[in-house]
Amino acid sequence: MRGNLRKSGIDIIGDVPWGTHFCQFYQTKEDLTEILVPYFKAGLENNEFCMWITSQPLEAEDAKEALRRAVPDVDVYLEKGQIRIISYIDWCMKDGVFDSEKVINQWIEKIEQALSSGYDGLRMTGNISWLEKKDWKDFVDYEKDGDRIISNYRIVALCTYCLDRCNATEIIDVVTNHQFALIKRDGEWERIESSRQKRIQEALFQSEQRVRLKLESVLSPDGETEKLVLSDIINSREIQSLMDDFYEFAHIAMALVDLKGNVLVGVGWQDICTKFHRVHPETCKHCLESDTKLSSGVAPGEFKLYRCKNNMWDIATPIMVGGQHIGNLFSGQFFFEGETPDYELFRAQARQYDFNEGEYTTALDKVPRLSREEVDTSMAFLMKLAHMISQLSYSNIKLTRTLAERDTLVDALTKSEEKYRNFMETANEGIWILDTEPRTTYVNEKMAEMLGHSQEAIIGKSVRDFTDEEGKAIFEMNMEKRRQGINESHEFKLLRKDCLPLWALVNSKALFDKDGKFTGSISMLTDITKRKEAEAKLKEAYESSEKLVEERTTQLKEAYNSLKESERGLAEAQKMAHIGNWEWDIATDKTYWSEEMYRIFGRDPKKLAPSYNEYLSYIHPDDQDYYENGLKIAVTGSPFRIDCRIVLDNGEERIVHLESEFILNNINIPVRIKGIVQDITERKKVEKTLENLETARKKEIHHRIKNNLQVISSLLDLQAEKFNNRECVEDSEVLKAFRESQDRVMSIALIHEELHEGKGNNTLNFSPYLKRLSRNLFQTYRLENADTRLNVDLEENIFFDMDTAVPLGIIISELVSNSLKHAFQGRDRGVIQIKLCREETAGCTNNAECTNNAECTNNSNIKGSKKEGSKGANFVLTVSDNGVGMPENFNPENSDTLGIQLVSILVGQLDGELELKRDSGTKFIIRFTVAEKSNNLHL
């Protein structure tokens, strides 16, 4: 769409027609505001609807503030809705992905809204800084489609690109898809024409030449009207205005169409045509056939009513000029009152041509219903309008022929040298006239300015004096063409006074006198130096990009071959290790499985990889909660590892090791999951077998150790009995030593007996063992302490390994036996208490004994212990009695008794702390730390 020049607001551009689509390369935020602010200021002041799509570095609020400085009342425009400033996220993206179809449809919708709201058209801009490299090709295709659409609407569009983010190839793509580009050089904005646009302008020039020649032939006295086409002779703007006025009160659609089906003027077209029938190639073909074939054969002054191939009513009446049929005046896209449209037929059309059925039927409901009287009345008007167009066109042609003849005579009489020179001097292009020598006979002021010389300095000289050696040879060839009467347009390099090159586009014409003798030439020169510089840079960038593409292509081929080889190697490795890998795209719900994944899950490789929900169905029902709990932890971005069971389609159960990781986007939302699966069924079977063997081996070892210790205990018992029968040694230290050794052996034997009777592992449930050990000790000393009671306060489910259980058992044996032997001498009764619990629950059953933090401190390691600061459980063992107590001078660290020395040594072995209290008897408090051992699976 051309014509109706609009103020761009940008000095270097000036006025532009509707359909202008250009771009700006910027480097800073200030570059953007320098162009966009005056651009939108001009649009607002000239009744245009404005759309500003923002992104970094100039967001919506920044844009409003910048515009407010130049347009103080911008808030008024914002409030009434003449300008909208929104982020690219709301305009361009759909579910986080660029949607070109959505954007194009929105532009069309906005221009239609703008026109229906009384605005002259739409002015828009969009910043492309958000575009990712992977989407570049799709965006270039969108720009091509957008350029084609913009050229057909009342739209002026400016696209802004960050120069620092574009490589040479991308710059070429951008410039190619726009009519021209703005770029800043040395602090000044320059306009670079697109080579594609240049070809379009040349094509338009040639088209204009053809129309001019056709009109000249028609307007000549002997011209023929058969050569006329409708678009050559009508004033489309005036007829459009007339139709618009008629539509305002009649609401009847009309169009002026030539014999090729081209719609020259139209009003009131229905959405079902503009958004559906005229968009789809097949239905559009039906429209053109209805406009040309179905409407043919109508006599002048009559009309034809027919149903178009898209099943709506149309009416046509011919346009005649000089007896020649050159077009039709159409009305249509309606149903008659009382006529019920065949909705099933139209729904079938929607399905056939892939229209949105709901939107299509909605558009169908909007088609007007007219009475026969309304149709007859409107056609009476249309026939009169067609007759008027025909008569005026033919009268204008005859009048124009007469005026053309007169003007030819008047022009020949009124030409003068002064007017001729005025024209030459005020021309915006350089003009250079040469004689036959060829010497300069005239240059205008513009030409002298371009060369940097005065006009007087150029007169009398040859073009050869203002070019280099190569240029001189080219000039001689061109002059020979002029002598032969050959006119041409070419590019030529001159040298300015400052020796800088001046590239010019030269349009030359040979001059001959009335006798046909060559008298010289006249040339019009346009300065294209900046364009040539830009082209040189673009060519350099293009050649550089071509080289880079070639190198990159070679690298990609090598990488591809290497990748294929790696893929084959990976597949073999996965097969041998029974490891498969997979990946799931959350947004598209598309999954990739390697070959080994299909083998592990027993799935047919010909099938597609399962969706994520189908993949979850393979997890054993009893393991699904375990798996989903792991996922909840992993969704934060941390990898997780888990062993679980899967159920194949044939019902077979397998055990697999899963490792997965969520991939998060820049706002920490999961977008993908990737992972590996290893079939560990056979390994688990072997591990189970080994575990059973290990359990049996350990139980056998504990059984043998227990038996050997019992043999030792029996030997000690026999030896003690032997000494007991001797009166001289009945109360001797030897007998006591035998008994104490027998107690120590018994405490160790009980540990191995408990481990043998357990599950065969190396951990001991210490509470049952301690109760059993205490009973055996009391049975040993019952004759001496018949009225002594034992209170045992033990926390349940405390498990120790051998390194802790053995020394702890010996400590308890020594302290209890010591109380039984010495605490109640001379007393009838007594109480021994054994208490073992974690330090955080110490004193939980008898708070009276825990009166300060010395005995009960939560979550702390033993102070001074080598394990201080390490992760573990703290325990408190208390062995006390209410007997006679220990002497005041007794120090357990300097004791000379073997039992107390052994206790001190074993407490040190546990890396613990021993404390003695003498309140109401004797109380030994032992604090120690046991490192935690976790058998849980790590997530």
Side-chain angles (χ1 to χ4, degrees), residues 286-295 306 308-309 314 330:
H286 292 166
C287 293
L288 293 177
E289 187 174 349
S290 299
D291 293 346
T292 55
K293 295 182 180 179
L294 296 183
S295 61
Y306 61 93
C308 74
K309 284 211 167 183
D314 281 343
F330 274 89

Side-chain angles (χ1 to χ4, degrees), residues 627-644:
Y627 180 83
E628 290 174 1
N629 289 336
L631 282 182
K632 291 177 181 178
I633 299 174
V635 76
T636 61
S638 303
F640 77 97
R641 304 173 183 85
I642 191 172
D643 292 348
C644 67

Side-chain angles (χ1 to χ4, degrees), residues 51 112 115 127 411 588 634 695 767 826:
M51 287 288 296
E112 291 176 350
L115 295 176
N127 188 6
D411 288 342
T588 61
T695 300
S767 296

Side-chain angles (χ1 to χ4, degrees), residues 199-247:
R199 291 195 298 272
I200 293 172
Q201 290 175 346
E202 289 175 350
L204 287 173
F205 176 76
Q206 294 173 2
S207 175
E208 291 173 355
Q209 287 292 95
R210 288 195 297 272
V211 172
R212 183 181 61 80
L213 292 173
K214 184 183 294 184
L215 283 174
E216 287 178 353
S217 65
V218 171
L219 296 176
S220 64
D222 54 349
E224 298 177 356
T225 58
E226 287 81 359
K227 297 180 181 180
L228 283 177
V229 293
L230 184 58
S231 60
D232 295 337
I233 64 172
I234 66 168
N235 188 326
S236 299
R237 185 181 300 176
E238 294 299 328
I239 295 177
Q240 180 70 61
S241 177
L242 182 64
M243 286 187 175
D244 289 342
D245 292 341
F246 180 75
Y247 184 77

